[in-house]
Amino acid sequence: MTSAIAIIPARFGSTRFPGKLLADRTGRPLLAHVYERAEAASTIGTVLVATDDDRIEAAVRGFGGNVVRTRTDHPNGTSRVAEAAASVTADVIVNVQGDEPEIEPAVIDAVVSSLDEHPTCPMATAAAPFAAGDDPSDPNVVKVVLSVAGTALYFSRARIPFPRERVTATPLKHVGLYAYRRPFLAQYVTLAATPLEQAESLEQLRALEHGHGIAVAITDAHHHGIDTPEQYDAFVRRYVR
């Protein structure tokens, strides 16, 4: 049976909303909501927060969570997760973003399960059909197209597939959750950056360009990440309703 842990990379800094992971107008830090959602996933044995910040460490210990201290020089969350993963034992490492307090545990389970369904893929992620009112042309919403086997062919900020002919092809938006087989995660963070990754500013393209498959779980996930104070205000309103 596959063993999986969730690691939440957490830093205090944020360009648009500094300290957002500790925002607590719901009565608990934002990070605590994410932690509890990850903990509720049936495939997850342990949840860890990986951080280099004293304030975040204190908050995690305050709500009874597990925390691992990491270096301060990580270029991204994946690198921080890889450092934390080196100190634990599990078959699969799930990178859960610390600013997604409404992530569904079922989505985490679906991504972990997709690795069992695609044994040749070293990593997995999720996608969902666009909801009513979503704009597939929005470059801030990443799109993904799949093979018939359910693996990623390409991710883009552009609209893909482009509807040139009257052929039904449901556009899918990428859900930024990743699961890695543990040996591959250690390898992944050492891979050289690639042209398409840099052109699109999408880190997951590095895996595809280096020839590694990405399994994609199709879900109905429409949770909201928190990037700005206004988005946090909206989350608080949804939470207290």
Side-chain angles (χ1 to χ4, degrees):
M1 181 177 180
T2 299
S3 62
I5 66 168
I7 300 180
I8 305 170
R11 63 188 185 93
F12 188 83
S14 171
T15 302
R16 290 182 285 178
F17 190 4
K20 64 181 177 180
L21 300 189
L22 302 186
D24 60 0
R25 282 171 39 216
T26 63
R28 290 179 294 166
L30 179 69
L31 185 56
H33 292 280
V34 180
Y35 193 100
E36 290 170 6
R37 291 282 184 143
E39 205 169 36
S42 63
T43 54
I44 298 299
T46 303
V47 180
L48 302 174
V49 174
T51 189
D52 60 6
D53 189 90
D54 291 340
R55 292 160 291 188
I56 290 178
E57 179 180 5
V60 174
R61 296 197 186 283
F63 62 71
N66 303 306
V67 63
V68 175
R69 288 300 292 247
T70 57
R71 303 191 315 270
T72 61
D73 61 347
H74 287 291
N76 52 49
T78 309
S79 176
R80 192 179 304 280
V81 167
E83 182 192 349
S87 65
V88 300
T89 301
D91 300 319
V92 171
I93 310 298
V94 183
N95 180 348
V96 178
Q97 299 303 306
D99 58 3
E100 296 191 347
E102 295 169 296
I103 187 169
E104 292 292 338
V107 175
I108 298 173
D109 289 335
V111 171
V112 173
S113 296
S114 68
L115 285 177
D116 289 331
E117 296 162 7
H118 296 85
T120 63
C121 289
M123 64 181 286
T125 189
F130 278 79
D134 287 344
D135 180 8
S137 300
D138 184 349
N140 295 309
V141 179
V142 177
K143 278 70 68 175
V144 59
V145 288
L146 308 183
S147 71
V148 293
T151 58
L153 293 173
Y154 193 64
F155 298 85
S156 183
R157 297 183 182 279
R159 180 168 183 165
I160 54 172
F162 184 81
R164 186 173 185 273
E165 303 290 347
R166 293 182 180 179
V167 177
T168 301
T170 303
L172 295 170
K173 64 179 178 181
H174 179 226
V175 177
L177 175 75
Y178 297 96
Y180 305 89
R181 300 189 196 278
R182 185 179 176 183
F184 178 70
L185 176 58
Q187 176 190 358
Y188 179 62
V189 295
T190 68
L191 295 175
T194 53
L196 293 175
E197 171 197 1
Q198 294 173 323
E200 296 262 16
S201 190
L202 295 175
E203 182 187 329
Q204 65 270 31
L205 288 174
R206 183 183 309 183
L208 293 182
E209 287 185 85
H210 280 282
H212 301 288
I214 303 177
V216 181
I218 304 301
T219 74
D220 59 357
H222 293 289
H223 56 269
H224 303 273
I226 308 297
D227 293 319
T228 66
E230 293 75 20
Q231 290 172 337
Y232 180 69
D233 291 343
F235 163 66
V236 172
R237 289 194 295 271
R238 290 191 297 272
Y239 181 79
V240 300
R241 269 196 310 217

